[in-house]
Amino acid sequence: MSLLDIRVPAVLLRIDRNPFHHGTLGAVRSLGRAGVEVHVVADSAGSPVRRSRFVRRLHPPPAPGASPTEIVAVLRRVAARIARPAVLIPMDDASAVAAGRFRADLAPAYLLPQQPGTLPERVADKAELAEVCAAAGVPHPPTLVPDSTEETAAAVRRLGLPVIAKWSRPWLLPAASGLRSTVVVRSAREAVELFLRSEEAGSRLLLQEFLPPGQDRDWFFHGYADRTGQVRAGGPGCKQRAWPRGAGLTAVGLWTPNPQVRELAERLTGELGYRGIFDLDFRRCGGTGRYHLLDFNPRPGAQFRLFADSAGLDVVRALHLDLTHRPLPDGAPLAGRAFVVENYAPLSALRPAPRGRELAWSAPDDRGPGLAMWALWGRHVAARLLNRLRDGTADRAPRPHAPVVRQAGEPLVPAPQTAEPLVPAARDEESAGGAGVPAAPGVSALSGQPDRSDDEKASSC
């Protein structure tokens, strides 16, 4: 018998159009395996997710760039079809912001955590996050938000080069702008050129001190804050392999006990009164050893299934249990468990995993998505390489680090730097803060998306 109340369906909402967002598939499988009826509101026409046997129904998503009120209108139409209350699980920042802002309008058709409606928007905003961290005493890289070109140049001088440039609300970036949510700039001129596009970007530009990447420096914490504020499920993890190397999404993650990261996560969510699923990204400073918070994602991270404990509890199941007033089982952490995204780290997927491993796409009880992913990925890689040849980019000498963005869903082809095969990488809304992400502002990185709308920023990590 399932621990979950299978009378209550779940609705997964994703506005980003990234066919390779494995976090959505993870949520489908987690709830579907427990017997919950799962509805997906996302662009799944070309996505392997549609092949999962655990999807009850696919629903058309809001249009790219939809306003929160338009998102709510779509959710109301879906609710009318389901005809009974459902747990709503936003899978990207744009949907999390809309669900938080219009929580009262969505009830009682949807069950959502009770917290201030503006809180998801506040923590997802990169500029406001710096203020949140300062108030809570959580380390955060020095961050400046210039109001003019003169202040932009002065901020670069103060922070020192290279410097991280971020748009405070990356979910507002226009699809065809070529702007990236996070880049490394290497001159004051590049920073000023970005600042001049602030109106086009739809949010403020912030400049942040560069924290160099390194071994065992990128960490993440996934958790669920229940109705009492207690952090349940999830845990701390270390990014073992990223794609692209040094600043990309988590290709291989390891469940690794870290009391310091846990304490920071619990302190921050407690100070904020946060309720619901969250995904935090940290980078450890090599000089001081302090863990700096880089991103607060008010939604599941793409690799949340890494933290399925001995009782089978993960953050998505914790949300469903808590919102349906079911007790959460007390499982034991499975330290050493691995999570591998096989299209980004195929060799790692084949190596022994003595403490257990979950693959992002392949599963013996749900083979359709894995097979569909490899077929789609093959076409995607072939198209990317063909485009490079057509554009005359194949003969260009790559930089030591290729442009990397933190906005998921825009696959890039960086210079080969690992033993893994060369494949395009997707944008990750779940970010490592952009360290190690050299890219000129406004310079369009190699964008090999199957078709532009892929925007996930799904885990950071």
Side-chain angles (χ1 to χ4, degrees):
M1 181 178 178
S2 176
L3 291 173
L4 280 69
D5 188 344
I6 62 174
R7 298 171 299 176
V8 181
V11 173
L12 309 182
L13 172 64
R14 198 184 79 244
I15 299 170
D16 302 333
R17 303 222 163 176
N18 177 11
F20 297 110
H21 187 237
H22 50 274
T24 302
L25 178 60
V28 166
R29 285 173 169 166
S30 178
L31 295 171
R33 286 167 176 155
V36 174
E37 180 182 306
V38 182
H39 294 255
V40 178
V41 184
D43 181 21
S44 302
S47 172
V49 173
R50 70 181 294 110
R51 301 298 182 89
S52 175
R53 70 184 186 90
F54 297 112
V55 173
R56 174 61 62 91
R57 185 169 179 176
L58 296 165
H59 302 265
S67 68
T69 53
E70 291 170 329
I71 296 170
V72 170
V74 169
L75 288 173
R76 284 175 174 161
R77 289 196 292 270
V78 172
R81 293 173 186 167
I82 297 175
R84 61 189 190 278
V87 171
L88 178 61
I89 308 176
M91 297 301 298
D92 57 28
D93 286 356
S95 55
V97 168
R101 189 186 297 179
F102 289 93
R103 180 184 179 279
D105 298 291
L106 292 170
Y110 292 102
L111 308 181
L112 285 161
Q114 293 189 7
Q115 64 178 349
T118 57
L119 189 52
E121 189 169 4
R122 184 181 174 204
V123 297
D125 187 303
K126 313 300 183 186
E128 293 196 34
L129 182 61
E131 300 173 6
V132 167
C133 288
V138 172
H140 185 271
T143 300
L144 300 173
V145 184
D147 287 326
S148 65
T149 55
E150 292 77 11
E151 287 187 15
T152 301
V156 170
R157 290 192 296 270
R158 179 176 172 183
L159 295 170
L161 291 170
V163 65
I164 301 293
K166 296 181 178 181
W167 297 108
S168 62
R169 299 187 173 197
W171 63 90
L172 298 179
L173 289 175
S177 67
L179 292 169
R180 312 301 182 190
S181 65
T182 301
V183 297
V184 170
V185 297
R186 300 188 176 277
S187 70
R189 178 181 176 181
E190 290 181 356
V192 168
E193 288 174 352
L194 270 182
F195 177 82
L196 291 173
R197 301 184 69 180
S198 297
E199 183 176 354
E200 179 186 2
S203 65
R204 297 178 290 175
L205 178 72
L206 60 91
L207 300 175
Q208 194 172 87
E209 183 180 287
F210 177 89
L211 292 180
Q215 186 174 6
D216 297 333
R217 290 191 184 178
D218 287 320
W219 291 76
F220 45 88
F221 189 96
H222 293 201
Y224 173 72
D226 67 16
R227 68 174 72 95
T228 70
Q230 182 180 356
V231 174
R232 308 290 300 275
C238 185
K239 185 183 295 188
Q240 301 294 297
R241 185 181 294 278
W243 191 262
R245 184 179 179 182
L249 56 78
T250 299
V252 182
L254 198 67
W255 191 340
T256 309
N258 189 320
Q260 290 175 273
V261 169
R262 175 174 288 277
E263 191 276 331
L264 290 172
E266 292 178 346
R267 183 199 310 173
L268 183 59
T269 54
E271 289 281 342
L272 291 170
Y274 187 86
R275 302 290 186 270
I277 299 173
F278 61 91
D279 163 28
L280 309 180
D281 296 317
F282 294 89
R283 174 158 284 179
R284 180 173 57 83
C285 176
T288 66
R290 302 175 78 198
Y291 292 87
H292 293 253
L293 181 68
L294 302 178
D295 276 303
F296 189 128
N297 302 306
R299 52 171 173 76
Q303 73 276 24
F304 78 91
R305 280 291 301 167
L306 169 63
F307 303 105
D309 64 19
S310 62
L313 187 69
D314 59 37
V315 295
V316 167
R317 289 186 178 184
L319 171 73
H320 195 283
L321 287 165
D322 193 43
L323 294 183
T324 56
H325 299 274
R326 293 289 184 103
L328 276 64
D330 293 319
L334 300 179
R337 187 170 190 261
F339 184 87
V340 179
V341 186
E342 48 282 41
N343 51 320
Y344 298 124
L347 297 183
S348 296
L350 299 174
R351 296 186 181 114
R355 298 192 179 183
R357 172 176 56 212
E358 179 151 342
L359 300 180
W361 296 102
S362 303
D365 64 339
D366 191 29
R367 297 184 182 277
L371 296 174
M373 182 279 293
W374 284 118
L376 180 64
W377 190 250
R379 294 194 299 270
H380 175 54
V381 172
R384 280 298 297 119
L385 295 177
L386 182 60
N387 286 339
R388 291 186 70 188
L389 291 172
R390 286 175 176 171
D391 294 341
T393 59
D395 295 330
R396 295 179 187 175
R399 296 183 179 184
H401 294 282
V404 177
V405 298
R406 301 306 302 162
Q407 205 177 346
E410 283 186 331
L412 306 177
V413 181
Q417 299 177 30
T418 73
E420 304 287 3
L422 175 63
V423 290
R427 289 181 303 171
D428 182 20
E429 200 179 335
E430 305 133 321
S431 47
V437 193
V443 175
S444 181
L446 295 173
S447 164
Q449 10 187 100
D451 86 79
R452 161 30 244 183
S453 329
D454 306 337
D455 185 15
E456 167 242 296
K457 211 187 123 175
S459 150
S460 59
C461 287

